[in-house]
Amino acid sequence: MRKLTKMFIVLLLLSFWPLSLTSQNDSVKIVVADFDVFLIEKQYGAIVSEVIVSNLSADGTVRVIERSKLNRIIEEMALGQTGLINPEDAVKTGQVMGANRMVVGSVGKLGVEYVVNARIINVETGRVIKGFSLSGTSESDIAAMTSAMSQLILKVLAGQDVSIPEKFQ
């Protein structure tokens, strides 16, 4: 009887253990797709996405679903043929992954400006929650725009009002 009681207590503690290890908000589960790229090097899309994932993960307030899982699902669903993820495809992909939010976007050059665009999509409804467009005058601005974009995304997910930093308008 004593052994059974100890096992019950251990099982009970183990069931609560994952909750104590994380301060993440389990109600927000987000995945970030590779950003599309226009008129600059192709690798920028993956780099911008990776930085946003790292920043969202480091914050610890949302649960970020690993992109490698996203890439496998995209391949399985044959969405990779176009290289683009539109809101309808994001809904399907996000639902399969268990996410309720998804970030899609692009990075590129428009005339003499470099631009980073992102949209936060409600996976359950397919509705765009919020979109952002940040612009800079040099390629080196992309890193700062990506960091600023991460902060904007976190604020939106937390229900805060946001405004685009003046230097990126």
Side-chain angles (χ1 to χ4, degrees), residues 13-22:
L13 290 173
L14 286 175
S15 69
F16 290 107
W17 181 56
L19 297 175
S20 65
L21 289 179
T22 180

Side-chain angles (χ1 to χ4, degrees), residues 117-131:
N117 298 295
R119 292 175 310 286
I120 304 167
I121 299 170
N122 179 326
V123 170
E124 293 148 1
T125 65
R127 190 180 122 251
V128 174
I129 297 168
K130 188 78 172 171

Side-chain angles (χ1 to χ4, degrees), residues 31-106:
V31 65
V32 180
D34 279 347
F35 277 38
D36 296 322
V37 180
F38 302 101
L39 301 176
I40 59 174
E41 292 182 45
K42 182 180 174 184
Q43 295 84 353
Y44 274 106
I47 293 168
V48 167
S49 299
E50 282 294 324
V51 170
I52 289 174
V53 166
S54 295
N55 290 342
L56 296 179
S57 299
D59 181 75
T61 60
V62 297
R63 187 171 179 191
V64 181
I65 298 172
E66 181 54 43
R67 281 184 44 247
S68 62
K69 187 176 176 185
L70 169 66
N71 292 337
R72 280 192 297 258
I73 290 172
I74 287 173
E75 288 170 10
E76 289 172 18
M77 295 177 74
L79 296 176
Q81 292 176 0
T82 64
L84 304 173
I85 297 180
N86 63 40
E88 294 82 24
D89 294 334
V91 170
K92 293 175 197 167
T93 305
Q95 286 171 341
V96 170
M97 296 182 68
N100 54 22
R101 302 289 183 269
M102 185 170 200
V103 175
V104 297
S106 63

Side-chain angles (χ1 to χ4, degrees), residues 108 110 112-116 134-139 141-142 145 167-169:
L110 181 62
V112 296
E113 291 188 322
Y114 290 86
V115 181
V116 177
L134 306 181
S135 60
T137 56
S138 72
E139 191 172 357
D141 288 338
I142 293 173
M145 289 187 289
K167 72 183 210 173
F168 298 125
Q169 293 181 2

